[in-house]
């Protein structure tokens, strides 16, 4: 099988059409009532790496279904007049997610360059993972 576009091209095309926030600019948005950080990582990643306090968790696989108000899985938060800042572990899934959200009609979207890894490294607020109980 030969693919027509690889993930690198898809991510590059997405980044050309969306807003990419440097991690310092994203950290400056913490606490603003009109901003929703959307964590696209799966629950295992959050358990392992920790969480951004107050972020809305939406696994990448459910994004389109949670945004579309006609979907039986629609989440009301995506109908609010907010700025949505997507992030994943490293910035690839979030670039694709921000482009998809924008294509679907969300107007004020961005993603964090470098994702949660860059967020942690830059000293952004993090709820550290809790040890599992035996």
């Amino acid at each position: 099988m030969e693919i027509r576009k690889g993930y690198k091209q898809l991510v590059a095309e997405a980044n050309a059409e969306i807003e990419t926030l440097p991690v310092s600019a994203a950290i400056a948005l913490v606490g603003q009532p009109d901003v929703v950080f959307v964590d696209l990582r799966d629950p295992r990643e959050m358990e392992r790496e920790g969480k951004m306090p107050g972020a809305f968790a939406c696994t990448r696989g459910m994004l389109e279904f949670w945004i579309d108000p006609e979907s039986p899985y629609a989440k009301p938060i995506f109908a609010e007049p907010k700025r949505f800042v997507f992030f994943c572990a490293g910035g690839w899934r979030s670039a694709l997610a921000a482009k998809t959200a924008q294509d679907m009609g969300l107007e004020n979207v961005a993603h964090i360059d470098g994702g949660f890894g860059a967020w942690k490294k830059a000293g952004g607020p993090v709820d550290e993972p809790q040890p599992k109980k035996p």
Side-chain angles (χ1 to χ4, degrees):
M1 174 183 95
E2 185 175 331
I3 59 171
R4 288 185 280 274
K5 285 186 187 183
Y7 78 92
K8 291 178 185 177
Q9 184 177 352
L10 290 170
V11 170
E13 288 173 359
N15 277 320
E17 294 186 33
I18 59 169
E19 180 181 2
T20 300
L21 295 174
V23 72
S24 59
I27 290 171
L29 296 174
V30 169
Q32 292 191 15
D34 62 336
V35 175
V36 175
F37 288 93
V38 181
D39 191 341
L40 299 161
R41 297 172 302 145
D42 70 51
R44 290 178 305 267
E45 290 175 287
M46 292 182 214
E47 287 174 11
R48 208 173 38 244
E49 300 296 324
K51 300 176 184 178
M52 182 189 297
F56 179 74
C58 173
T59 59
R60 177 62 188 94
M62 290 304 295
L63 181 68
E64 293 84 350
F65 304 100
W66 286 15
I67 289 174
D68 187 342
E70 293 185 19
S71 165
Y73 303 104
K75 298 293 183 189
I77 194 165
F78 289 112
E80 296 178 17
K82 306 273 185 178
R83 180 169 196 197
F84 295 94
V85 179
F86 296 92
F87 68 95
C88 59
W92 295 348
R93 287 174 288 178
S94 59
L96 297 174
K99 172 145 182 358
T100 296
Q102 186 171 282
D103 288 349
M104 290 181 75
L106 291 183
E107 295 179 356
N108 198 355
V109 302
H111 87 113
I112 301 174
D113 188 28
F116 190 70
W119 178 271
K120 280 182 82 168
K121 188 175 181 181
V126 173
D127 289 337
E128 292 296 334
Q130 299 300 313
K132 290 189 177 188
K133 294 179 183 177

